[in-house]
Amino acid sequence: MVGPNGAGKTTAVECLEGLRRPDAGSVRVLGLDPGKERQALADRIGVQLQESALPPRLRVAEALALFGSFYERRADGGELLEALGLAEKRSTAFGKLSGGQKQRLFIALALINRPRVVFFDELTTGLDPQARRSMWDLVRQVRDRGCTVFLTTHFMEEAERLCDRVLILDRGRIVALDTPERLVQSLGVEQRLVVSVPQDQSIPALTDLPGVQRVERSGERVTVHGRGERFVSSVVRALEDERVPFRDLRTEQPCLEDVFLSLTGRRMRE
């Protein structure tokens, strides 16, 4: 689930987890009402909150043992630590862990009851690129073990790479829900073809070509906007037919961020 700041993502997730009562409507997770059947649902889901903390002196293994004691069905703590790269930190106090290690520990705590659904809210916020990629690998491992992952994120690349389906929330309403690929295709987000052409070189009327919508030129940089299967090939063919010298040709494919901005707008919100 993605959306602008204030769209209602965390509120929606908290309603699903049973941490907040919805103002209206109904909620079902695994066939259970989170408000009325909170305990039964808690045994079947895992939760990693947007902001979490533990006592700084609590050791990693102690945290797992404590959280595991809350459930009848629990995973092997040692195996979780091994899978998450924390085996050597089992005797380390929480306050001594790095940011990435703390995040991995919270993932372990969210998985200690072997949940059928796990909620990750802003899992990689504040992490460096290397730690973020490691988290992506961990999310894939959790999914591949048969657990449904509900991920809330501000990073469009993260949603596009990890998610089988993406929900875009804006002002408390679902404005799109589909696979990343179909969202990009169905909303008709344009492609961009960029080439470098000498400034004194004229170019043909590319807007007459199939799929071309507009052409922008700034110095040597020529950007052609369009869509369709023949868009790129027709532009390249036209330049070659007119013997226009060009270099540094590249295409910029539409992505989930383009879809997000087209649906929610570009204006910054608080």
Side-chain angles (χ1 to χ4, degrees), residues 48 103 121-128 131-133 135-136 151-153 155 158:
Q48 176 265 330
Q103 286 286 57
D121 194 1
E122 305 290 352
L123 179 66
T124 61
T125 298
L127 299 183
D128 59 53
R132 181 175 297 124
R133 295 301 176 96
M135 286 296 172
W136 291 359
L151 176 70
T152 307
T153 180
F155 299 105
E158 185 168 278

Side-chain angles (χ1 to χ4, degrees), residues 156-207:
M156 296 303 110
E157 182 187 6
E158 185 168 278
E160 195 163 12
R161 292 199 178 202
L162 292 180
C163 298
D164 300 300
R165 292 199 300 166
V166 175
L167 180 156
I168 300 178
L169 193 72
D170 191 25
R171 304 184 190 278
R173 295 183 179 276
I174 298 173
V175 296
L177 173 60
D178 211 328
T179 66
E181 296 80 8
R182 288 179 181 173
L183 283 176
V184 172
Q185 295 170 2
S186 64
L187 293 172
V189 180
E190 63 187 15
Q191 294 176 282
R192 295 177 291 274
L193 186 148
V194 183
V195 295
S196 295
V197 176
Q199 293 191 42
D200 57 354
Q201 175 68 51
S202 62
I203 59 175
L206 300 176
T207 51

Side-chain angles (χ1 to χ4, degrees), residues 5-22:
N5 289 332
K9 299 186 299 299
T10 296
T11 298
V13 170
E14 289 179 349
C15 289
L16 293 171
E17 297 165 344
L19 300 178
R20 183 192 295 260
R21 288 188 176 275

Side-chain angles (χ1 to χ4, degrees), residues 181-245:
E181 296 80 8
R182 288 179 181 173
L183 283 176
V184 172
Q185 295 170 2
S186 64
L187 293 172
V189 180
E190 63 187 15
Q191 294 176 282
R192 295 177 291 274
L193 186 148
V194 183
V195 295
S196 295
V197 176
Q199 293 191 42
D200 57 354
Q201 175 68 51
S202 62
I203 59 175
L206 300 176
T207 51
D208 296 334
L209 299 175
V212 175
Q213 296 178 318
R214 68 183 189 279
V215 179
E216 299 173 352
R217 185 165 187 173
S218 177
E220 292 189 347
R221 178 187 172 99
V222 177
T223 304
V224 187
H225 301 258
R227 57 170 61 94
E229 295 180 358
R230 299 177 56 193
F231 163 61
V232 174
S233 61
S234 63
V235 172
V236 173
R237 186 178 298 111
L239 294 175
E240 291 179 338
D241 289 346
E242 295 294 326
R243 299 183 182 278
V244 176

